Amino acid sequence: MIYVASFEVAFGGLDLLTVPDMYSQDSAFFVMVDPRKSALPESLIQVADLAFCGAFGVSLAIFGVQFAYRYFVLTGHSFLATKKHRNFIIWLGSPLLFASVWTFSCATFMGRNDFVDQVLREDVLPYKLDNLEIDRLAFVGVIFFPKLENSTKTTINLDSFYAMGICSVVLSSTEFVMFFFAIKTYLATKRFMAQASGSAKLKRLQWQLFYATVSQSCIPIFFMQIPITAIYISTFLNSSSQIFGQIQTITVSFYLASDALPTIFIIKPYRETILNYFRCIKIEITFVWPKKRKGDTTGGTTSNIQAKVAQVESL
């Protein structure tokens, strides 16, 4: 959980520093960083854009690895569940392996070429980036069926197909690992609960940990996996729209803001700690109503003031 939280904090910080913008139209999709919006030096924004894409790719892998770790712990696997430096490298390095493959694909096949430059100059820079110089823009992207220059005919950009193939393998692999070990973990948890002689509190905690992990995994599926899949399919069919890129830009922020909530509210010790914190905050509002005296029509406070003013005038 510390590893997941640290990753999401780093991902959120990178998103805040780069302020990426996603553009989708017809068969093109770009993840762009405008140097005028980014807080990073202009020389680092291309590297930051690649790192952002790599973090995007690892967002599902990290939960698949978490399910796998919980399964091996529950089944008492002696090789992978022991506290050894080798196992730390395996468990913490596995998501980074997926991120490296994703980043390699982006750097190799989603960079600049004649087709990409033409789309950026004609469709993106004039309308979205106020004619920013193309050499200053950091981006990665695909365009499957670009139009030939000075022609209405289209061609096939093989680099984009290579990129989509690699990214699709990464996505499908992370999904397979996550669903496979999620089911295995569920069955192992049921067996562990049936055989365990521990307290009801321990059994409750084990189920809460499982449900929290499932909920955390559903959030990137809905906010990242489904939108990016819709973008890939629509661009492959040469029928994408700018709304897809805008939705994906927003949902990434939703994922980063909401992914910790299931752990906080499902696991009882965390939930009680948060609620007790808010219970300690007391806001006291006291209403003081002045008493009226006999003969006063405006209330005691006003009458007292008027009496003191009369005494001063008489002096």
Side-chain angles (χ1 to χ4, degrees):
M1 288 186 175
I2 294 175
Y3 184 51
V4 174
S6 301
F7 161 74
E8 291 176 352
V9 169
F11 193 6
L14 187 61
D15 183 53
L16 184 64
L17 291 173
T18 54
V19 195
D21 189 13
M22 300 184 188
Y23 173 85
S24 179
Q25 184 66 42
D26 297 333
S27 67
F29 173 65
F30 299 104
V31 181
M32 305 173 294
V33 177
D34 188 341
R36 298 167 298 184
K37 298 179 181 178
S38 174
L40 296 173
E42 196 165 330
S43 58
L44 297 178
I45 57 174
Q46 183 63 39
V47 176
D49 195 20
L50 289 171
F52 177 84
C53 294
F56 188 99
V58 80
S59 58
L60 280 181
I62 199 169
F63 293 106
V65 171
Q66 188 176 9
F67 274 120
Y69 177 75
R70 282 190 53 76
Y71 170 73
F72 287 120
V73 169
L74 286 170
T75 55
H77 199 285
S78 59
F79 179 74
L80 293 173
T82 54
K83 296 180 180 179
K84 293 182 179 180
H85 296 296
R86 173 200 63 213
N87 292 337
F88 278 105
I89 295 174
I90 292 175
W91 292 116
L92 301 184
S94 297
L96 298 179
L97 178 62
F98 286 98
S100 300
V101 174
W102 189 285
T103 305
F104 169 79
S105 172
C106 293
T108 305
F109 301 111
M110 298 187 187
R112 173 166 296 170
N113 56 43
D114 294 337
F115 301 132
V116 170
D117 285 357
Q118 181 181 349
V119 173
L120 289 174
R121 286 196 178 96
E122 295 178 359
D123 300 330
V124 181
L125 296 178
Y127 303 105
K128 288 187 66 69
L129 298 174
D130 299 325
N131 288 312
L132 176 73
E133 296 87 346
I134 193 171
D135 293 331
R136 297 182 59 195
L137 179 67
F139 69 91
V140 296
V142 295
I143 176 168
F144 294 106
F145 306 107
K147 292 181 180 179
L148 297 174
E149 193 171 0
N150 299 323
S151 175
T152 58
K153 295 182 179 180
T154 60
T155 185
I156 297 176
N157 184 11
L158 291 178
D159 283 351
S160 295
F161 281 92
Y162 297 148
M164 187 185 72
I166 294 174
C167 292
S168 298
V169 169
V170 172
L171 286 175
S172 58
S173 299
T174 56
E175 283 184 344
F176 173 79
V177 170
M178 185 174 63
F179 285 111
F180 177 79
F181 281 104
I183 296 172
K184 299 278 283 185
T185 302
Y186 173 75
L187 297 176
T189 303
K190 287 188 67 176
R191 289 194 300 268
F192 178 79
M193 292 298 104
Q195 300 171 2
S197 58
S199 64
K201 183 178 181 181
L202 174 63
K203 295 181 179 180
R204 215 167 31 241
L205 179 60
Q206 290 296 328
W207 279 118
Q208 288 171 0
L209 288 169
F210 174 76
Y211 291 134
T213 307
V214 171
S215 302
Q216 274 191 298
S217 305
C218 291
I219 290 175
I221 289 176
F222 285 109
F223 286 151
M224 300 180 71
Q225 173 71 13
I226 292 177
I228 196 65
T229 301
I231 289 175
Y232 276 170
I233 293 175
S234 61
T235 52
F236 181 74
L237 297 176
N238 198 19
S239 60
S240 186
S241 173
Q242 293 187 28
I243 189 65
F244 289 119
Q246 295 168 358
I247 290 174
Q248 182 68 91
T249 302
I250 296 172
T251 54
V252 169
S253 300
F254 283 166
Y255 156 68
L256 294 171
S258 61
D259 200 54
L261 297 180
T263 301
I264 294 174
F265 292 109
I266 292 177
I267 300 177
K268 188 176 180 180
Y270 295 166
R271 182 175 68 248
E272 289 182 343
T273 300
I274 296 296
L275 293 177
N276 288 336
Y277 173 79
F278 283 105
R279 289 191 188 104
C280 293
I281 302 176
K282 295 182 179 179
I283 301 176
E284 295 184 358
I285 302 176
T286 304
F287 294 96
V288 179
W289 300 100
K291 296 181 179 180
K292 290 185 178 182
R293 295 180 179 179
K294 292 182 178 180
D296 291 342
T297 58
T298 57
T301 303
T302 306
S303 299
N304 292 339
I305 294 174
Q306 291 175 344
K308 290 182 179 180
V309 171
Q311 289 179 2
V312 171
E313 291 180 348
S314 65
L315 293 177

